Amino acid sequence: MAAHLLLLLYHHRPVTTVFFVLILLSTSYGDDDNKEYRTCKKHFSCGVFSDLSYPFWGGDRPEFCGHKGFELKCEKDQFPVIVSTDQKLEFRLSRLDQPSKMMTLQLENPTDYICPTKSLAISNTPTDIHVFGYDLNLQNLNLLYNCTVSSSAPQKNTISNCSGNSFYASDEFLENSGVLNHTQCIFIIKIPIPSASFDRLTGDRADLERVLAEKFNVSYKYDQGPSICDACMASKGICGTNMSDPNREFLCLCRDHPYSYVCKGMIAKFILDLLPSFLSVTSG
């Protein structure tokens, strides 16, 4: 019945009808918006930072509003801690510029990773500095513990005063070394550090502590190529995560329901659905 009345009105007042439909659709959401859309539409605060949005999540902000690798641990009036995805390394986030996608990080409890005397709750799978972005000013510091190596192993890369054979090395060194590689070691940790700091390392524990405790700047990137998130936002959607996907892939949260990449557009859909009826009335 409503559609029939709209068709009659369109036949006599086409411009008025179009404006009426647009106004009706623009006000037809509100409390009926998709629950995930409503939740993630609101920005959140974490520690000393406010007005945070995708890709960050944590505290009272659910994971589906953020992106893997950008979980924040929130403490009142403190800089939040960001947890890397693979090894569960924790970094204190002391500066954040969301428009330029830049942040300043500092490794939490750096001495815990130097000649550890207890098992750390991190993965033995090598991680990647690119979890935070692609920054040419960073490189991975590999800490290798309890290694089985020959007597020709490089002594200059030995970590002093550690039990067992323990070494530090860059990714490039490990790739080109015929003597030392991660398969020979029981415990390996990869930690991003400023490239300029690497040259200062001598294997001395005090040097390692100073380098690991340094703050560093990093750009962060959360999708590939032309930004998927930007395309979602351009379609009036909100960037989020598909929690039903084991890989936690991207999901565009829209007012009607989520889509893989962009919102389909309810107004356009409504007009396209009625277009055949409109054409039949006007041609008649």
Side-chain angles (χ1 to χ4, degrees):
M1 182 65 180
H4 181 67
L5 290 174
L6 281 175
L7 291 173
L8 289 175
L9 180 59
Y10 179 81
H11 182 69
H12 297 285
R13 296 287 190 274
V15 175
T16 302
T17 305
V18 171
F19 276 109
F20 174 74
V21 169
L22 292 176
I23 292 171
L24 181 65
L25 288 174
S26 66
T27 59
S28 62
Y29 287 99
D31 292 339
D32 292 330
D33 285 344
N34 177 267
K35 181 180 178 181
E36 293 177 338
Y37 177 91
R38 291 201 312 271
T39 300
C40 301
K41 185 178 181 180
K42 297 175 290 187
H43 290 187
F44 74 110
S45 297
C46 183
V48 298
F49 293 118
S50 59
D51 203 31
L52 298 175
S53 59
Y54 186 90
F56 299 100
W57 62 280
D60 59 0
R61 178 85 162 181
E63 184 177 354
F64 61 76
C65 294
H67 189 279
K68 56 187 177 184
F70 291 90
E71 178 187 3
L72 298 179
K73 290 185 176 180
C74 306
E75 305 171 59
K76 185 177 181 181
D77 300 325
Q78 299 292 321
F79 290 116
V81 169
I82 187 168
V83 184
S84 72
T85 306
D86 296 328
Q87 291 198 120
K88 301 301 182 185
L89 296 173
E90 295 188 344
F91 298 88
R92 185 69 63 173
L93 176 60
S94 59
R95 186 182 69 89
L96 176 64
D97 186 341
Q98 291 188 98
S100 63
K101 296 183 175 64
M102 294 290 297
M103 56 187 176
T104 300
L105 302 175
Q106 183 179 28
L107 182 68
E108 282 281 277
N109 305 314
T111 56
D112 288 352
Y113 304 102
I114 302 173
C115 308
T117 57
K118 60 182 180 180
S119 178
L120 299 176
I122 63 176
S123 167
N124 201 38
T125 303
T127 188
D128 194 333
I129 58 175
H130 300 323
V131 66
F132 294 127
Y134 293 79
D135 197 318
L136 299 179
N137 295 316
L138 295 178
Q139 64 175 320
N140 280 322
L141 169 64
N142 295 269
L143 302 176
L144 305 98
Y145 297 109
N146 296 324
C147 302
T148 302
V149 294
S150 66
S151 58
S152 60
Q155 294 302 307
K156 70 174 184 176
N157 286 66
T158 301
I159 300 175
S160 63
N161 300 318
C162 270
S163 59
N165 293 311
S166 301
F167 303 88
Y168 73 93
S170 65
D171 286 343
E172 182 180 8
F173 182 89
L174 290 182
E175 290 172 3
N176 298 326
S177 174
V179 179
L180 182 64
N181 64 71
H182 65 82
T183 62
Q184 299 168 292
C185 306
I186 295 175
F187 195 44
I188 311 103
I189 310 171
K190 277 179 179 277
I191 302 174
I193 64 171
S195 297
S197 300
F198 210 99
D199 295 334
R200 303 205 311 267
L201 293 175
T202 62
D204 181 72
R205 290 181 61 160
D207 284 341
L208 280 175
E209 287 183 24
R210 281 191 289 270
V211 167
L212 292 181
E214 289 180 351
K215 293 182 179 180
F216 59 92
N217 298 318
V218 62
S219 59
Y220 62 88
K221 186 175 182 179
Y222 41 78
D223 54 21
Q224 301 295 323
S227 177
I228 299 174
C229 182
D230 287 347
C232 172
M233 291 190 296
S235 71
K236 307 301 182 184
I238 297 172
C239 305
T241 289
N242 185 353
M243 298 303 294
S244 64
D245 188 315
N247 295 321
R248 297 294 192 264
E249 296 297 339
F250 178 84
L251 195 64
C252 186
L253 308 176
C254 305
R255 299 183 75 172
D256 53 345
H257 59 79
Y259 293 89
S260 296
Y261 299 109
V262 296
C263 300
K264 301 301 183 182
M266 294 302 294
I267 292 177
K269 181 178 184 298
F270 181 89
I271 293 174
L272 288 174
D273 287 345
L274 289 185
L275 186 59
S277 300
F278 285 159
L279 291 176
S280 65
V281 170
T282 56
S283 63

Tab-separated table of all heavy atoms in Angstrom, residues 122-169:
chain	number	residue	atom	x	y	z
A	122	ILE	N	55.787	-16.223	25.979
A	122	ILE	CA	55.785	-15.738	24.611
A	122	ILE	C	56.043	-16.898	23.671
A	122	ILE	O	56.562	-17.941	24.053
A	122	ILE	CB	56.838	-14.635	24.379
A	122	ILE	CG1	58.248	-15.192	24.596
A	122	ILE	CG2	56.589	-13.446	25.277
A	122	ILE	CD1	59.343	-14.204	24.292
A	123	SER	N	55.679	-16.695	22.425
A	123	SER	CA	55.846	-17.744	21.423
A	123	SER	C	57.308	-17.863	21.018
A	123	SER	O	58.045	-16.881	21.021
A	123	SER	CB	54.978	-17.421	20.199
A	123	SER	OG	55.331	-18.236	19.102
A	124	ASN	N	57.737	-19.052	20.657
A	124	ASN	CA	59.081	-19.248	20.132
A	124	ASN	C	59.124	-19.045	18.625
A	124	ASN	O	60.147	-19.216	17.989
A	124	ASN	CB	59.586	-20.660	20.476
A	124	ASN	CG	61.095	-20.736	20.425
A	124	ASN	OD1	61.775	-19.804	20.817
A	124	ASN	ND2	61.612	-21.854	19.944
A	125	THR	N	57.984	-18.690	18.048
A	125	THR	CA	57.920	-18.421	16.608
A	125	THR	C	58.413	-17.018	16.340
A	125	THR	O	57.919	-16.067	16.936
A	125	THR	CB	56.481	-18.549	16.085
A	125	THR	OG1	55.998	-19.846	16.398
A	125	THR	CG2	56.430	-18.333	14.588
A	126	PRO	N	59.393	-16.830	15.444
A	126	PRO	CA	59.900	-15.486	15.183
A	126	PRO	C	58.780	-14.533	14.784
A	126	PRO	O	57.909	-14.868	13.992
A	126	PRO	CB	60.876	-15.702	14.019
A	126	PRO	CG	61.325	-17.113	14.174
A	126	PRO	CD	60.115	-17.851	14.681
A	127	THR	N	58.816	-13.337	15.347
A	127	THR	CA	57.825	-12.324	15.027
A	127	THR	C	58.374	-11.397	13.959
A	127	THR	O	59.402	-11.661	13.364
A	127	THR	CB	57.422	-11.551	16.291
A	127	THR	OG1	56.317	-10.706	15.971
A	127	THR	CG2	58.550	-10.699	16.815
A	128	ASP	N	57.716	-10.274	13.730
A	128	ASP	CA	58.072	-9.394	12.630
A	128	ASP	C	57.855	-7.961	13.059
A	128	ASP	O	56.810	-7.625	13.612
A	128	ASP	CB	57.183	-9.717	11.425
A	128	ASP	CG	57.705	-9.102	10.144
A	128	ASP	OD1	58.384	-8.064	10.218
A	128	ASP	OD2	57.422	-9.650	9.072
A	129	ILE	N	58.844	-7.102	12.825
A	129	ILE	CA	58.683	-5.699	13.173
A	129	ILE	C	57.541	-5.067	12.393
A	129	ILE	O	57.005	-4.046	12.800
A	129	ILE	CB	59.982	-4.893	12.923
A	129	ILE	CG1	60.421	-4.998	11.459
A	129	ILE	CG2	61.082	-5.319	13.845
A	129	ILE	CD1	61.615	-4.123	11.124
A	130	HIS	N	57.142	-5.684	11.276
A	130	HIS	CA	56.111	-5.083	10.443
A	130	HIS	C	54.716	-5.210	11.032
A	130	HIS	O	53.752	-4.743	10.439
A	130	HIS	CB	56.152	-5.689	9.041
A	130	HIS	CG	57.467	-5.490	8.355
A	130	HIS	ND1	58.197	-4.342	8.504
A	130	HIS	CD2	58.183	-6.291	7.530
A	130	HIS	CE1	59.319	-4.449	7.790
A	130	HIS	NE2	59.336	-5.608	7.211
A	131	VAL	N	54.586	-5.853	12.206
A	131	VAL	CA	53.289	-5.863	12.872
A	131	VAL	C	52.851	-4.434	13.161
A	131	VAL	O	51.675	-4.118	13.211
A	131	VAL	CB	53.332	-6.691	14.168
A	131	VAL	CG1	54.232	-6.046	15.207
A	131	VAL	CG2	51.929	-6.871	14.746
A	132	PHE	N	53.830	-3.510	13.328
A	132	PHE	CA	53.507	-2.119	13.590
A	132	PHE	C	53.647	-1.253	12.344
A	132	PHE	O	53.276	-0.095	12.362
A	132	PHE	CB	54.407	-1.556	14.691
A	132	PHE	CG	54.169	-2.198	16.026
A	132	PHE	CD1	55.208	-2.740	16.739
A	132	PHE	CD2	52.898	-2.260	16.565
A	132	PHE	CE1	54.990	-3.336	17.978
A	132	PHE	CE2	52.669	-2.858	17.795
A	132	PHE	CZ	53.717	-3.396	18.498
A	133	GLY	N	54.195	-1.764	11.280
A	133	GLY	CA	54.338	-0.954	10.081
A	133	GLY	C	55.661	-1.239	9.401
A	133	GLY	O	56.399	-2.147	9.770
A	134	TYR	N	55.965	-0.443	8.429
A	134	TYR	CA	57.185	-0.616	7.656
A	134	TYR	C	58.073	0.600	7.906
A	134	TYR	O	57.865	1.661	7.338
A	134	TYR	CB	56.859	-0.772	6.179
A	134	TYR	CG	56.135	-2.057	5.889
A	134	TYR	CD1	54.780	-2.188	6.139
A	134	TYR	CD2	56.828	-3.163	5.411
A	134	TYR	CE1	54.119	-3.382	5.896
A	134	TYR	CE2	56.177	-4.360	5.171
A	134	TYR	CZ	54.826	-4.461	5.410
A	134	TYR	OH	54.169	-5.639	5.189
A	135	ASP	N	59.027	0.464	8.803
A	135	ASP	CA	59.859	1.580	9.207
A	135	ASP	C	61.315	1.213	8.974
A	135	ASP	O	61.848	0.302	9.615
A	135	ASP	CB	59.610	1.910	10.684
A	135	ASP	CG	60.118	3.289	11.053
A	135	ASP	OD1	61.223	3.640	10.597
A	135	ASP	OD2	59.419	4.002	11.790
A	136	LEU	N	61.953	1.932	8.063
A	136	LEU	CA	63.340	1.624	7.723
A	136	LEU	C	64.312	1.964	8.846
A	136	LEU	O	65.475	1.593	8.794
A	136	LEU	CB	63.738	2.381	6.441
A	136	LEU	CG	62.932	2.029	5.192
A	136	LEU	CD1	63.408	2.867	4.007
A	136	LEU	CD2	63.069	0.548	4.857
A	137	ASN	N	63.835	2.668	9.869
A	137	ASN	CA	64.699	3.025	10.982
A	137	ASN	C	64.729	1.949	12.067
A	137	ASN	O	65.359	2.126	13.098
A	137	ASN	CB	64.233	4.347	11.608
A	137	ASN	CG	64.368	5.507	10.638
A	137	ASN	OD1	65.381	5.631	9.949
A	137	ASN	ND2	63.350	6.347	10.566
A	138	LEU	N	64.027	0.844	11.831
A	138	LEU	CA	64.004	-0.252	12.794
A	138	LEU	C	64.599	-1.516	12.186
A	138	LEU	O	64.584	-1.706	10.970
A	138	LEU	CB	62.571	-0.562	13.230
A	138	LEU	CG	61.798	0.503	14.006
A	138	LEU	CD1	60.390	-0.010	14.289
A	138	LEU	CD2	62.501	0.857	15.286
A	139	GLN	N	65.108	-2.367	13.047
A	139	GLN	CA	65.467	-3.715	12.628
A	139	GLN	C	65.291	-4.651	13.813
A	139	GLN	O	65.246	-4.216	14.960
A	139	GLN	CB	66.894	-3.782	12.084
A	139	GLN	CG	67.994	-3.476	13.072
A	139	GLN	CD	69.376	-3.698	12.461
A	139	GLN	OE1	69.603	-4.653	11.716
A	139	GLN	NE2	70.305	-2.808	12.761
A	140	ASN	N	65.170	-5.931	13.509
A	140	ASN	CA	64.965	-6.912	14.567
A	140	ASN	C	66.275	-7.245	15.267
A	140	ASN	O	67.291	-7.512	14.617
A	140	ASN	CB	64.374	-8.201	13.987
A	140	ASN	CG	62.875	-8.105	13.762
A	140	ASN	OD1	62.169	-7.506	14.564
A	140	ASN	ND2	62.397	-8.699	12.682
A	141	LEU	N	66.212	-7.255	16.585
A	141	LEU	CA	67.297	-7.795	17.393
A	141	LEU	C	66.880	-9.203	17.800
A	141	LEU	O	65.869	-9.389	18.475
A	141	LEU	CB	67.531	-6.930	18.635
A	141	LEU	CG	68.459	-7.531	19.706
A	141	LEU	CD1	69.869	-7.697	19.148
A	141	LEU	CD2	68.475	-6.649	20.950
A	142	ASN	N	67.650	-10.202	17.360
A	142	ASN	CA	67.376	-11.592	17.711
A	142	ASN	C	68.203	-11.974	18.934
A	142	ASN	O	69.427	-11.829	18.940
A	142	ASN	CB	67.755	-12.517	16.550
A	142	ASN	CG	66.905	-12.277	15.320
A	142	ASN	OD1	65.875	-12.897	15.151
A	142	ASN	ND2	67.349	-11.359	14.461
A	143	LEU	N	67.539	-12.434	19.967
A	143	LEU	CA	68.214	-12.942	21.164
A	143	LEU	C	68.043	-14.451	21.166
A	143	LEU	O	66.916	-14.963	21.234
A	143	LEU	CB	67.617	-12.321	22.423
A	143	LEU	CG	67.672	-10.785	22.498
A	143	LEU	CD1	66.969	-10.281	23.749
A	143	LEU	CD2	69.109	-10.282	22.447
A	144	LEU	N	69.144	-15.183	21.075
A	144	LEU	CA	69.119	-16.632	20.931
A	144	LEU	C	69.773	-17.275	22.150
A	144	LEU	O	70.941	-16.994	22.465
A	144	LEU	CB	69.849	-17.063	19.656
A	144	LEU	CG	69.354	-16.411	18.345
A	144	LEU	CD1	70.236	-15.226	17.964
A	144	LEU	CD2	69.330	-17.415	17.210
A	145	TYR	N	69.027	-18.160	22.820
A	145	TYR	CA	69.497	-18.731	24.074
A	145	TYR	C	69.595	-20.258	23.997
A	145	TYR	O	68.828	-20.911	23.299
A	145	TYR	CB	68.559	-18.335	25.213
A	145	TYR	CG	68.519	-16.838	25.453
A	145	TYR	CD1	67.395	-16.088	25.122
A	145	TYR	CD2	69.620	-16.168	25.992
A	145	TYR	CE1	67.362	-14.708	25.329
A	145	TYR	CE2	69.599	-14.800	26.209
A	145	TYR	CZ	68.475	-14.065	25.880
A	145	TYR	OH	68.447	-12.713	26.080
A	146	ASN	N	70.593	-20.772	24.773
A	146	ASN	CA	70.817	-22.221	24.864
A	146	ASN	C	70.960	-22.851	23.477
A	146	ASN	O	70.202	-23.737	23.091
A	146	ASN	CB	69.682	-22.889	25.640
A	146	ASN	CG	69.627	-22.427	27.084
A	146	ASN	OD1	70.654	-22.181	27.712
A	146	ASN	ND2	68.417	-22.291	27.613
A	147	CYS	N	71.943	-22.357	22.761
A	147	CYS	CA	72.164	-22.811	21.380
A	147	CYS	C	73.218	-23.925	21.329
A	147	CYS	O	74.169	-23.928	22.117
A	147	CYS	CB	72.632	-21.642	20.507
A	147	CYS	SG	71.476	-20.248	20.490
A	148	THR	N	73.017	-24.835	20.406
A	148	THR	CA	73.993	-25.886	20.141
A	148	THR	C	74.777	-25.490	18.899
A	148	THR	O	74.263	-25.537	17.775
A	148	THR	CB	73.306	-27.238	19.909
A	148	THR	OG1	72.514	-27.552	21.057
A	148	THR	CG2	74.326	-28.328	19.669
A	149	VAL	N	76.021	-25.053	19.103
A	149	VAL	CA	76.824	-24.534	17.986
A	149	VAL	C	78.231	-25.101	18.066
A	149	VAL	O	78.671	-25.608	19.105
A	149	VAL	CB	76.883	-22.988	18.019
A	149	VAL	CG1	75.504	-22.397	17.770
A	149	VAL	CG2	77.438	-22.496	19.346
A	150	SER	N	78.933	-24.986	16.963
A	150	SER	CA	80.313	-25.457	16.919
A	150	SER	C	81.242	-24.413	17.531
A	150	SER	O	80.825	-23.296	17.839
A	150	SER	CB	80.717	-25.718	15.463
A	150	SER	OG	80.732	-24.500	14.733
A	151	SER	N	82.481	-24.760	17.671
A	151	SER	CA	83.458	-23.842	18.268
A	151	SER	C	83.724	-22.634	17.377
A	151	SER	O	84.322	-21.653	17.828
A	151	SER	CB	84.772	-24.590	18.536
A	151	SER	OG	85.259	-25.146	17.317
A	152	SER	N	83.302	-22.709	16.111
A	152	SER	CA	83.541	-21.600	15.184
A	152	SER	C	82.434	-20.549	15.236
A	152	SER	O	82.406	-19.630	14.429
A	152	SER	CB	83.661	-22.133	13.751
A	152	SER	OG	82.464	-22.805	13.372
A	153	ALA	N	81.526	-20.671	16.187
A	153	ALA	CA	80.458	-19.686	16.319
A	153	ALA	C	81.054	-18.313	16.610
A	153	ALA	O	82.080	-18.204	17.293
A	153	ALA	CB	79.512	-20.079	17.450
A	154	PRO	N	80.447	-17.242	16.088
A	154	PRO	CA	81.013	-15.893	16.241
A	154	PRO	C	81.016	-15.428	17.694
A	154	PRO	O	79.975	-15.240	18.304
A	154	PRO	CB	80.064	-15.029	15.396
A	154	PRO	CG	78.782	-15.792	15.345
A	154	PRO	CD	79.169	-17.235	15.356
A	155	GLN	N	82.230	-15.251	18.252
A	155	GLN	CA	82.350	-14.867	19.653
A	155	GLN	C	81.892	-13.432	19.894
A	155	GLN	O	81.400	-13.102	20.977
A	155	GLN	CB	83.806	-15.033	20.110
A	155	GLN	CG	84.289	-16.475	20.114
A	155	GLN	CD	83.428	-17.353	21.017
A	155	GLN	OE1	83.227	-17.037	22.187
A	155	GLN	NE2	82.920	-18.453	20.474
A	156	LYS	N	82.030	-12.585	18.891
A	156	LYS	CA	81.666	-11.173	19.093
A	156	LYS	C	80.158	-11.001	19.287
A	156	LYS	O	79.703	-9.972	19.777
A	156	LYS	CB	82.141	-10.322	17.911
A	156	LYS	CG	81.393	-10.563	16.608
A	156	LYS	CD	81.831	-9.570	15.553
A	156	LYS	CE	81.011	-9.744	14.269
A	156	LYS	NZ	81.361	-8.729	13.259
A	157	ASN	N	79.382	-11.986	18.891
A	157	ASN	CA	77.935	-11.899	19.054
A	157	ASN	C	77.451	-12.633	20.299
A	157	ASN	O	76.260	-12.819	20.485
A	157	ASN	CB	77.221	-12.489	17.823
A	157	ASN	CG	77.301	-11.567	16.630
A	157	ASN	OD1	78.372	-11.332	16.091
A	157	ASN	ND2	76.160	-11.033	16.213
A	158	THR	N	78.361	-13.045	21.158
A	158	THR	CA	77.994	-13.745	22.377
A	158	THR	C	77.456	-12.771	23.417
A	158	THR	O	77.989	-11.671	23.590
A	158	THR	CB	79.214	-14.472	22.960
A	158	THR	OG1	79.720	-15.410	21.998
A	158	THR	CG2	78.833	-15.221	24.235
A	159	ILE	N	76.384	-13.181	24.101
A	159	ILE	CA	75.854	-12.390	25.210
A	159	ILE	C	76.599	-12.820	26.468
A	159	ILE	O	76.611	-13.999	26.829
A	159	ILE	CB	74.345	-12.609	25.382
A	159	ILE	CG1	73.595	-12.207	24.108
A	159	ILE	CG2	73.821	-11.808	26.567
A	159	ILE	CD1	72.113	-12.499	24.145
A	160	SER	N	77.221	-11.867	27.137
A	160	SER	CA	78.066	-12.187	28.294
A	160	SER	C	77.240	-12.591	29.506
A	160	SER	O	76.105	-12.143	29.692
A	160	SER	CB	78.937	-10.969	28.651
A	160	SER	OG	78.132	-9.869	29.032
A	161	ASN	N	77.832	-13.450	30.298
A	161	ASN	CA	77.263	-13.859	31.602
A	161	ASN	C	75.887	-14.497	31.476
A	161	ASN	O	75.029	-14.315	32.337
A	161	ASN	CB	77.187	-12.655	32.544
A	161	ASN	CG	78.548	-12.042	32.809
A	161	ASN	OD1	79.532	-12.754	33.010
A	161	ASN	ND2	78.606	-10.717	32.782
A	162	CYS	N	75.655	-15.250	30.399
A	162	CYS	CA	74.425	-16.032	30.250
A	162	CYS	C	74.772	-17.507	30.372
A	162	CYS	O	75.837	-17.938	29.908
A	162	CYS	CB	73.785	-15.793	28.878
A	162	CYS	SG	72.606	-14.442	28.856
A	163	SER	N	73.892	-18.279	30.943
A	163	SER	CA	74.126	-19.721	31.011
A	163	SER	C	73.904	-20.318	29.635
A	163	SER	O	73.003	-19.907	28.895
A	163	SER	CB	73.175	-20.361	32.020
A	163	SER	OG	71.832	-20.132	31.655
A	164	GLY	N	74.741	-21.298	29.271
A	164	GLY	CA	74.627	-21.893	27.944
A	164	GLY	C	75.194	-20.961	26.888
A	164	GLY	O	75.705	-19.879	27.178
A	165	ASN	N	75.122	-21.383	25.644
A	165	ASN	CA	75.593	-20.558	24.536
A	165	ASN	C	74.474	-19.614	24.111
A	165	ASN	O	73.434	-20.058	23.612
A	165	ASN	CB	76.011	-21.436	23.355
A	165	ASN	CG	77.235	-22.279	23.672
A	165	ASN	OD1	78.224	-21.763	24.169
A	165	ASN	ND2	77.155	-23.573	23.389
A	166	SER	N	74.671	-18.320	24.301
A	166	SER	CA	73.642	-17.335	24.000
A	166	SER	C	74.226	-16.244	23.129
A	166	SER	O	75.360	-15.795	23.342
A	166	SER	CB	73.073	-16.736	25.293
A	166	SER	OG	72.517	-17.755	26.101
A	167	PHE	N	73.428	-15.805	22.151
A	167	PHE	CA	73.930	-14.872	21.156
A	167	PHE	C	72.883	-13.802	20.847
A	167	PHE	O	71.693	-13.971	21.122
A	167	PHE	CB	74.277	-15.607	19.854
A	167	PHE	CG	75.268	-16.711	20.020
A	167	PHE	CD1	74.851	-18.003	20.327
A	167	PHE	CD2	76.630	-16.480	19.881
A	167	PHE	CE1	75.766	-19.035	20.482
A	167	PHE	CE2	77.545	-17.495	20.033
A	167	PHE	CZ	77.118	-18.784	20.337
A	168	TYR	N	73.346	-12.708	20.248
A	168	TYR	CA	72.454	-11.708	19.663
A	168	TYR	C	72.842	-11.555	18.192
A	168	TYR	O	74.009	-11.747	17.830
A	168	TYR	CB	72.556	-10.366	20.406
A	168	TYR	CG	73.834	-9.598	20.139
A	168	TYR	CD1	73.901	-8.645	19.123
A	168	TYR	CD2	74.976	-9.824	20.917
A	168	TYR	CE1	75.078	-7.948	18.884
A	168	TYR	CE2	76.142	-9.139	20.682
A	168	TYR	CZ	76.197	-8.190	19.659
A	168	TYR	OH	77.353	-7.508	19.419
A	169	ALA	N	71.880	-11.244	17.352
A	169	ALA	CA	72.169	-11.130	15.920
A	169	ALA	C	71.040	-10.382	15.217
A	169	ALA	O	69.901	-10.348	15.695
A	169	ALA	CB	72.348	-12.515	15.298
